[in-house]
Every structure is written in C-alpha cells, then in structure tokens.
Amino acid sequence: MERRSFIKLLGLCSILLPGSLRELFAAQGPVVAVSQGSDHAAAARKAIAALGGMPRFVKAGQTVVVKPNIGWDRAPEFAATTNPAVVKALVEECLKAGAKKVKVFDRTCNDARRCYASSGIEAALKGMKNVEVKHLEEERFKKLALNGKALKDCELYGEAISADVYINVPVAKHHGLSRLTLGMKNVMGIMGGNRGSIHKNLDQALADVNSHFKPQLTVIDATRILTAHGPQGGNLADVKVLNQVIASTDMVAADAYATTLFGLKPSDIAVTRTAYQRGLGEMNLDRIRVVKA
C-alpha cells in the first residue's frame, strides 16, 4: 500500500472507530451482574460494584426507597421474603453513597407487624441512622393515570413515587398463577386498592404499571429460591440454596436471567414476555451481557 493511501486509511479509522465502538457496546445489550457467595451481604455489594457501584445510582442528599418483598409471615429461610442481609447491604451502600434518608417498606399480604418481624428485615435495620422501616399508610396512596392496556389508572404509594431513587429488591420464587414472581411483579408491593384483581390480566397490568414507574436498579435475591408452593411457601423442602445475587438497570433482563435458575426460559413467563414485547427491556439471553461479579 502506498504511503498516502495508508495515511488516508489511518485517518478514516480514527473517525469511524469511536462510533463503531459505541455501536458495538450498544449491541452487547444490557448488563446483568451475577454475584455468588455464601456471604450474602458481600455478594450484594459485589453485584452492585460490577454495575459501577452505588454512587452511580445514589447521589448525596437524595431520598432512596429500597423495596424488598416483606409480604408474608415467614422466616428468611423459607425464601418467601427478601433476604435481610441483602437488604441491609444495599441500605448501607446507599448511605455510603450519601443518601439523606433510606426508606424500606412493602404492602404485605399477611399482618404487617408479623411480616416485618418474621422477615428479619426490621431487626436487621433497627437502630440505623437515617433509615426508616415503615408500615404503609392508606392515605399516602395516590391514584395515577396509566391509560394502559389493562389498567386505566392505579393507586401507587406516594413515598415510592416521590423518592429520588427507587431500588427494587425482590426474592426469586415460584408463583401459583404467574409461574414465577421476580422484579416486575414486586411492584405490587406499592400498589393500593384491590390489587388482587389484576391477576386476571396480570402480564398486561404489570406492564402498564412498570411502564409508568421504573426502578433505577433491580437487585434480585436468589441466595435461596422458592421452587414450589409460592408465593407464600412454608416448606423447607421447596427451598433451594443458590447463594446468588442478580443486579441490573434493566428489570426485564434481570427477570430473564433469574428465570433460568428455575430451569425455564424467559419466554415461558407471560409477565416477562409481555414486558419485552412492549419495549420495557431485553429478555433475549443472547443479547444480555452477564457479568460474573
């Protein structure tokens, strides 16, 4: 090749390469960080670190909601509620990042006082400065227009809506109606009114709500998963210990990966499939970058 042609080629590469790299990076799809370890607090921290650390999501002076599943009067080992060690680690990381206040709550199915105590989450966070573990108050729900395919409007908890940062922290488990309950179904914990009525058209209804209200971060507790008789569980024979924590900014991608832990494909779950079809995130595993933390 002549020197002049070679120089022209170098110049062309210098112009095209940055854009090509950006396109390549985008083509790799959303990142799902997966951390493994019997120290569940450390596993949660490693998963967040693999996404760039909590300061990527939480800035100084912000109010953060960390929303676990506290829905059932079950001890942590039954995998019906989010692991308190994972919740505490995330709260601590939020505070280290400068959060002014961290609020932790859920609309429970069983008696709230019993659920909060049995889950271990209330005790794990007790006495932490600038952390509020609270029961939901009916007067704080706000009706929002969704104009969705299944829901025209919906009551959502005001303190979740007004938070600067919302971190979704479900437990991965079996569900008798939806097959699995993961990140996108966890939004039911901030829904008011007769939320049980949405189960007749669950996939579209959840897509309606999650289209309107998206978490900045989804962290799925798969330290132990409930493989049958969910969502309430109650039999340790149905619990499988995996010691995994999954994190992503793409709630659909997080759910898609978590589905594989049950020997299923993302397309097997109507909630995941519908969310993908409506453009809420990526469910194709070959388009998701799984990073082992």
Side-chain angles (χ1 to χ4, degrees):
M1 181 183 294
E2 294 182 0
R3 182 173 180 274
R4 181 177 298 177
S5 299
F6 180 70
I7 292 173
K8 286 182 178 180
L9 179 61
L10 287 178
L12 183 62
C13 288
S14 67
I15 294 171
L16 294 179
L17 188 57
S20 298
L21 287 176
R22 286 194 296 270
E23 290 174 6
L24 177 62
F25 187 79
Q28 290 177 325
V31 174
V32 172
V34 181
S35 181
Q36 182 95 32
S38 57
D39 183 336
H40 299 152
R45 290 189 175 93
K46 286 192 293 183
I48 299 303
L51 295 180
M54 194 62 81
R56 175 185 171 188
F57 307 100
V58 177
K59 307 304 179 187
Q62 290 186 321
T63 297
V64 182
V65 165
V66 172
K67 163 60 178 76
N69 186 325
I70 321 177
W72 304 98
D73 181 11
R74 295 290 188 213
E77 58 264 29
F78 289 99
T81 55
T82 307
N83 188 327
V86 171
V87 176
K88 184 177 182 180
L90 294 175
V91 169
E92 289 175 338
E93 290 302 306
C94 290
L95 294 173
K96 288 179 185 177
K100 177 177 66 177
K101 175 161 284 193
V102 181
K103 300 180 181 182
V104 180
F105 50 73
D106 190 22
R107 184 184 175 192
T108 63
C109 299
N110 298 145
D111 177 76
R113 289 170 297 180
R114 293 174 63 90
C115 291
Y116 276 54
S118 296
S119 72
I121 291 172
E122 188 172 55
L125 303 180
K126 186 176 181 180
M128 291 183 67
K129 187 178 180 181
N130 298 322
V131 176
E132 184 178 3
V133 182
K134 62 176 297 175
H135 295 178
L136 273 62
E137 301 159 304
E138 287 298 323
E139 64 272 17
R140 292 185 180 270
F141 284 96
K142 296 182 178 181
K143 183 173 285 189
L144 300 178
L146 302 181
N147 298 315
K149 293 187 177 182
L151 297 176
K152 298 306 177 187
D153 54 50
C154 176
E155 291 185 1
L156 294 181
Y157 200 62
E159 291 185 59
I161 298 169
S162 63
D164 298 305
V165 182
Y166 182 86
I167 301 176
N168 184 26
V169 197
V171 59
K173 58 180 178 174
H174 170 264
H175 193 280
L177 294 176
S178 60
R179 299 191 72 177
L180 296 179
T181 172
L182 301 163
M184 282 181 290
K185 196 171 184 302
N186 202 41
V187 76
M188 291 185 70
I190 61 167
M191 292 176 64
N194 182 18
R195 59 183 176 172
S197 65
I198 74 170
H199 281 95
K200 60 186 177 183
N201 197 4
L202 185 64
D203 58 322
Q204 294 292 351
L206 287 178
D208 289 340
V209 178
N210 282 293
S211 293
H212 186 88
F213 185 80
K214 294 182 179 180
Q216 282 86 353
L217 176 64
T218 293
V219 181
I220 299 180
D221 166 26
T223 57
R224 66 282 186 275
I225 64 173
L226 182 63
T227 61
H229 303 108
Q232 188 170 1
N235 188 340
L236 289 177
D238 296 328
V239 178
K240 185 176 182 180
V241 176
L242 296 181
N243 293 325
Q244 289 190 31
V245 176
I246 301 159
S248 183
T249 59
D250 185 324
M251 59 186 172
V252 181
D255 280 12
Y257 179 85
T259 299
T260 67
L261 303 179
F262 296 83
L264 298 169
K265 301 187 297 293
S267 58
D268 292 331
I269 309 303
V271 172
T272 305
R273 189 172 62 246
T274 298
Y276 168 73
Q277 291 168 347
R278 290 178 57 176
L280 301 187
E282 182 59 71
M283 81 168 191
N284 292 298
L285 297 174
D286 59 353
R287 298 176 187 169
I288 295 170
R289 291 191 294 139
V290 177
V291 176
K292 299 295 185 179

